[in-house]
Amino acid sequence: KGRGYVVGGARGEDHPQTALTWDVVREMRRVYGTSIGRGTRFTYGEIAATFGVSYAIASQVLTGITWKE
């Protein structure tokens, strides 16, 4: 029914409650991507701890659910 969605609302870095910036998101994805090539992948939990965010935020960013480019 469209509840909670504001047309033209702040998204990404422009949102006042964001915990991340595009630079941090890109670095998270770069670190995660390079870990695949080394044979052992960083877990979402390890990425989350490194960047100071929750497991849920890390998994949503890394799977593209949030922070879509």
Side-chain angles (χ1 to χ4, degrees), residues 12-13 18-33 44 47-48 51-69:
E13 287 183 10
T18 188
L20 300 172
T21 63
W22 275 111
D23 291 337
V24 173
V25 168
R26 289 184 185 109
E27 182 64 10
M28 287 173 70
R29 290 177 177 160
R30 186 194 68 76
V31 168
Y32 186 70
Y44 292 156
I47 297 286
F51 289 93
V53 296
S54 69
Y55 176 93
I57 295 297
S59 67
Q60 290 171 359
V61 166
L62 295 172
T63 57
I65 294 172
T66 58
W67 290 88
K68 299 174 185 172
E69 290 196 68

